[in-house]
Amino acid sequence: MRRKQIKQFTNMSWFPQNLKKLMAEFLSWFVLKVNASKPFIPVINKTLEQTGMKKIIYIDLQIGAGLDTVQPFIDKTIEIKCLDIKDFNTSDKGLYLFVNSFHQLSVEDAKSILKNISESKNPIVVVEGNNDSLWQIVGMTFFVPMTILFASLFVKPFRFQRIIFTYLIPILPIVTMIDGCIALLKLYNPSDLKELTSQLNNYTWEMGKNDNGRGGKIIYLTGINNE
């Protein structure tokens, strides 16, 4: 398995919660602004249609660019429930969904969660907007911090703290860049996802990369019970 389990600044208990919130708000605002989450929707909709599910259980890992970036594009007839990862269980029937967050799980935790969901016979969708390409590293190193510098004045909700920690004390562009690069090393690529699911034979698993419409790729995993 190529991916690495490395702690990001936002994983550290000492990292200020206000800075973590500012980073999450920027990521969610930016992803929505450029429609970066739209390539997730066909994957989610296909699994909903194949299983007949009318409910999504979103696994919340408390990071940015998650449910709020896909919810505007999901059919309003689909019920959505948020489940904090700390309270994870499979008591509800529905499609279990991870958005831009599965890479945060260790290999052991990822295997355990996939096993628990498969034992509940519920479908699962994992989508990641980043991938493990060289272009992604270049974009994260140069494009992301520059975007923060140019766009922070326009991020909603507007916060003076964001201005202070972007321009006067440039913590946000620096930490977002570093955390973003580390996140790329933590991604489960399709080969890793195949390894994670190799022992879960009661499911039909599909994993791969899809075009994101902007010259890049998303990574996805879907799992549907075949019994």
Side-chain angles (χ1 to χ4, degrees):
M1 186 169 292
R2 290 175 54 186
R3 63 91 62 184
K4 307 296 181 184
Q5 185 65 22
I6 308 171
K7 280 196 171 184
Q8 298 161 263
F9 280 102
T10 48
N11 298 142
M12 306 291 188
S13 59
W14 53 262
F15 191 77
Q17 286 299 310
N18 64 319
L19 294 181
K20 184 176 179 179
K21 181 178 181 180
L22 291 173
M23 291 172 65
E25 286 178 346
F26 170 79
L27 290 172
S28 295
W29 175 85
F30 180 72
V31 166
L32 276 172
K33 205 70 176 175
V34 300
N35 288 324
S37 58
K38 271 196 170 181
F40 298 161
I41 305 306
V43 179
I44 296 169
N45 285 342
K46 179 181 176 182
T47 309
L48 287 170
E49 291 169 6
Q50 287 177 327
T51 59
M53 288 292 178
K54 298 296 183 181
K55 183 175 184 178
I56 289 174
I57 297 100
Y58 171 71
I59 311 301
D60 191 356
L61 275 78
Q62 303 295 325
I63 63 174
L67 177 63
D68 51 345
T69 65
V70 298
Q71 192 165 5
F73 307 110
I74 294 174
D75 193 295
K76 304 304 181 187
T77 62
I78 302 297
E79 180 186 352
I80 299 176
K81 173 184 175 180
C82 284
L83 178 62
D84 194 301
I85 188 65
K86 296 174 185 176
D87 303 316
F88 175 76
N89 65 82
T90 56
S91 60
D92 271 355
K93 287 292 182 184
L95 185 155
Y96 283 74
L97 175 65
F98 288 85
V99 178
N100 289 322
S101 60
F102 195 73
H103 64 275
Q104 294 288 346
L105 300 174
S106 67
V107 173
E108 294 76 18
D109 287 343
K111 283 183 176 180
S112 175
I113 284 175
L114 292 174
K115 182 174 183 292
N116 288 339
I117 295 174
S118 67
E119 288 175 347
S120 74
K121 299 184 179 181
N122 285 297
I124 182 170
V125 170
V126 172
V127 281
E128 297 273 9
N130 292 322
N131 63 78
D132 53 351
S133 68
L134 178 60
W135 166 246
Q136 195 80 57
I137 292 283
V138 172
M140 196 66 71
T141 305
F142 297 102
F143 179 70
V144 168
M146 292 301 293
T147 300
I148 294 173
L149 289 171
F150 284 118
S152 284
L153 289 169
F154 308 102
V155 176
K156 295 180 180 179
F158 179 85
R159 300 190 192 278
F160 282 110
Q161 278 193 337
R162 181 177 293 109
I163 304 306
I164 292 171
F165 291 113
T166 297
Y167 303 109
L168 299 180
I169 309 171
I171 292 176
L172 292 180
I174 294 170
V175 173
T176 303
M177 177 193 68
I178 294 172
D179 260 23
C181 288
I182 293 174
L184 297 181
L185 299 175
K186 295 168 72 173
L187 285 170
Y188 291 98
N189 64 29
S191 296
D192 295 333
L193 294 169
K194 187 174 183 179
E195 185 176 337
L196 288 177
T197 57
S198 61
Q199 302 300 313
L200 304 174
N201 298 320
N202 61 324
Y203 263 44
T204 298
W205 297 101
E206 183 180 334
M207 65 284 295
K209 295 181 180 180
N210 285 344
D211 289 337
N212 66 5
R214 303 186 314 280
K217 302 283 185 180
I218 68 163
I219 295 173
Y220 72 91
L221 167 72
T222 64
I224 299 175
N225 178 259
N226 55 24
E227 293 182 346

